[in-house]
Amino acid sequence: MIEAFIYDHVRTPRGRGKPDGALHEVTALRLAETALRALKERNDLDTRLVDDVILGCVDPVGEAGGDIARAAALVADYGTHVPGVQINRFCASGLDAVNFAAAQVMAGQHDMTVGGGVESMSRVGLGASGGAWPVDPAIAIKSWFMPQGVSADLIATKYGFSRDECDAYAVESQKRSAKSWAEGMFRNAIVPVRDVNGITLLDTDEHVRPSTDMQSLAGLKASFVQMGQMGGFDAVAVDAHPDVEAVNHVHHAGNSSGIVDGAAAVLVGSKEAGEKAGLKPRARIRAFANIGSDPALMLTGPVDVTKKVLARAGMTVADIDLFEVNEAFAAVVLRFCQAFGLDSSKVNVNGGAIAMGHPLGATGAMILGTVLDELERTGKERALVTLCIGAGMGTATIIERV
C-alpha cells in the first residue's frame, strides 16, 4: 500500500458562534477559502498537483451548502481542474475528510489531496440541516434518541463522574489553552481571518476564558435538567441503561464544548507527490478507523474506535505518546482516560474544545494539526486523534512523526 504523508496543516482562529462573535460577518465559504489559500501560499503549492479537496461540514445548507469544498477551491484559486466534495459524519467530519484524503492516496488513485473542514455556527446555526434522527419515531425510538447533553450526563452517571470532576477538567482545559496561546504554541498553524479590506478580524481563539475557576463554574446551572426531566429524556436514558436509577445532570456551558466558527485544511500526499512539489513530509498516517457505538450513550465511540484502530495498527495504548480526544463534554474525555488508564499528561495537553470551541465540521482536522505540532515540539513519535459522534459513532486516526 502507498504511504500517505501529511505535508502541512493550517487553521483559522475560532470565533464565538454568536451574532456578536468576531467571525459572524464571514461566510463559511470565506472561512474555507482562508484555510485553503493559506495552505497553498505558504507552501508555494502548484495546485495542478492537487487531485481533490474534501471538506467536512455538518450543516451544509444555505450559504454553507451546495458542495462548499468545490466552491472554496475555486474561490481560493486552486484552478478549475481541482474538484471538491463535502462530507458529513457529524463531529468527526473534519478528521474523516483527512482520512478520506489519505485513503485516496493509499489506494493509488490520487497523488495529493486536501482534507479539512469548515463550520459557521454563528451564521448557519447548529442543527440547521435537520434530519430524521430526532423527529422520526422509526429511528428516534430504535436509537433511544436524546439530546447529546443528556447522553453526556448519562455517561457521567454511569461511570461515576461528579460535577466537581467535570468542572475540574474544564478548568484544566482553560488553563492549558491559555498557556498554549501565551507561549505561541499555535502560532505556526494559525492563519488570521481578514475582511475584504485586509483588516484582521480575528487572529486568536476568541472563546478561551483564562480566568475560569471552580468557583465561577459552580455558579452555572446544569444545562440539561429540563430536557431530561420535563422532556422525558431521562426516562429514555434509564430505559436504555436500567443499571442507572436516575440521571445526575452535571454538564453546563462551562464544561461543554463551545459553539464557534472556523475552518482547517491539511495537505496529504504520497512521497513522490511531495517530492514533485518540493515539500518535506511532517508525518505519516499509520491507520484510521470508524465504528458504531451505543447510540444511547452516544459519546463513548472514542473508546470503541481506539481499540479498533490500535488493533488495526498492531499497537497498544503504550505505543501512543499523545492523545487528542475532542472535548465535546468533560465526561467524554474522563471516560476515555478511565477506560485506558491514562493520566492527563498525555491527553489534550494544549487544551481543547471546552476552552477553544468546537466548529463541528472543522474540529477533527484542527486537533490533528494541534497534536502534530506537539509531536514536533516535544520530539515524540506517535499520536492518536479521536472524536465522539452523534447517533453513537467514533472516528480515530494514528499519525507518526517523520
Side-chain angles (χ1 to χ4, degrees), residues 212-296:
T212 300
D213 56 24
M214 292 294 288
Q215 289 71 33
S216 62
L217 294 185
L220 300 176
K221 294 182 179 180
S223 297
F224 307 104
V225 175
Q226 186 171 5
M227 288 182 184
Q229 295 179 356
M230 298 182 65
F233 293 110
D234 280 3
V236 176
V238 172
D239 184 56
H241 287 268
D243 55 310
V244 174
E245 293 184 4
V247 176
N248 181 25
H249 292 283
V250 298
H251 289 93
H252 50 75
N255 59 24
S256 307
S257 56
I259 294 173
V260 294
D261 306 331
V266 180
L267 184 63
V268 179
S270 66
K271 180 181 179 181
E272 291 74 16
E275 290 173 348
K276 187 177 292 187
L279 299 175
K280 182 180 178 181
R282 297 175 60 182
R284 65 171 53 85
I285 297 178
R286 281 290 304 270
F288 50 84
N290 297 293
I291 203 167
S293 60
D294 184 323

Side-chain angles (χ1 to χ4, degrees), residues 14-364:
R14 303 171 203 182
R16 288 189 303 111
K18 296 182 179 181
D20 60 351
L23 299 181
H24 178 61
E25 69 178 70
V26 185
T27 64
L29 175 62
R30 290 297 182 185
L31 289 173
E33 176 210 351
T34 298
L36 291 178
R37 187 178 295 279
L39 196 67
K40 177 185 71 169
E41 291 180 351
R42 72 190 231 156
N43 291 287
D44 194 22
L45 179 63
D46 181 355
T47 57
R48 289 176 296 183
L49 301 174
V50 177
D51 293 305
D52 206 358
V53 172
I54 307 168
L55 295 182
C57 185
V58 175
D59 283 301
V61 295
E63 65 189 31
D67 190 356
I68 194 169
R70 169 62 170 167
L74 289 172
V75 175
D77 296 323
Y78 272 52
T80 57
H81 68 284
V82 179
V85 61
Q86 172 270 325
I87 67 168
N88 179 13
R89 202 192 299 271
F90 297 151
C91 297
S93 299
L95 184 60
D96 249 332
V98 178
N99 292 344
F100 284 20
Q104 292 177 338
V105 172
M106 290 173 170
Q109 302 306 301
H110 288 172
D111 300 313
M112 182 168 282
T113 55
V114 176
V118 63
E119 211 76 45
S120 177
M121 301 182 76
S122 71
R123 295 179 64 89
V124 178
L126 179 63
S129 56
W133 175 40
V135 296
D136 187 335
I139 180 60
I141 295 172
K142 188 181 183 75
S143 63
W144 293 286
F145 170 78
M146 64 191 86
Q148 284 194 352
V150 178
S151 287
D153 288 338
L154 174 60
I155 293 169
T157 306
K158 185 177 180 71
Y159 294 105
F161 306 125
S162 67
R163 164 76 180 250
D164 281 351
E165 287 175 301
C166 291
D167 284 357
Y169 181 84
V171 170
E172 184 63 22
S173 178
Q174 293 284 356
K175 288 181 178 178
R176 291 183 179 189
S177 298
K179 182 175 184 290
S180 296
W181 269 106
E183 296 180 356
M185 301 287 194
F186 305 121
R187 181 176 59 249
N188 293 332
I190 294 290
V191 51
V193 178
R194 297 184 170 91
D195 67 11
V196 293
N197 298 311
I199 298 172
T200 297
L201 297 174
L202 190 65
D203 58 8
T204 59
D205 289 329
E206 190 179 21
H207 192 268
V208 181
R209 297 179 176 87
S211 62
T212 300
D213 56 24
M214 292 294 288
Q215 289 71 33
S216 62
L217 294 185
L220 300 176
K221 294 182 179 180
S223 297
F224 307 104
V225 175
Q226 186 171 5
M227 288 182 184
Q229 295 179 356
M230 298 182 65
F233 293 110
D234 280 3
V236 176
V238 172
D239 184 56
H241 287 268
D243 55 310
V244 174
E245 293 184 4
V247 176
N248 181 25
H249 292 283
V250 298
H251 289 93
H252 50 75
N255 59 24
S256 307
S257 56
I259 294 173
V260 294
D261 306 331
V266 180
L267 184 63
V268 179
S270 66
K271 180 181 179 181
E272 291 74 16
E275 290 173 348
K276 187 177 292 187
L279 299 175
K280 182 180 178 181
R282 297 175 60 182
R284 65 171 53 85
I285 297 178
R286 281 290 304 270
F288 50 84
N290 297 293
I291 203 167
S293 60
D294 184 323
L297 287 175
M298 194 187 305
L299 309 173
T300 54
V303 174
D304 301 324
V305 77
T306 292
K307 294 175 183 177
K308 181 177 180 178
V309 77
L310 286 172
R312 176 160 292 171
M315 296 180 185
T316 68
V317 170
D319 295 314
I320 306 298
D321 299 304
L322 295 170
F323 295 85
E324 281 289 324
V325 184
N326 186 39
E327 295 175 353
F329 299 89
V332 172
V333 186
L334 293 176
R335 172 55 189 155
F336 185 87
C337 293
Q338 181 190 66
F340 295 108
L342 298 172
D343 63 60
S344 63
S345 64
K346 285 187 172 184
V347 182
N348 299 350
V349 298
N350 296 122
I354 289 174
M356 292 181 283
H358 176 22
L360 304 180
T363 303

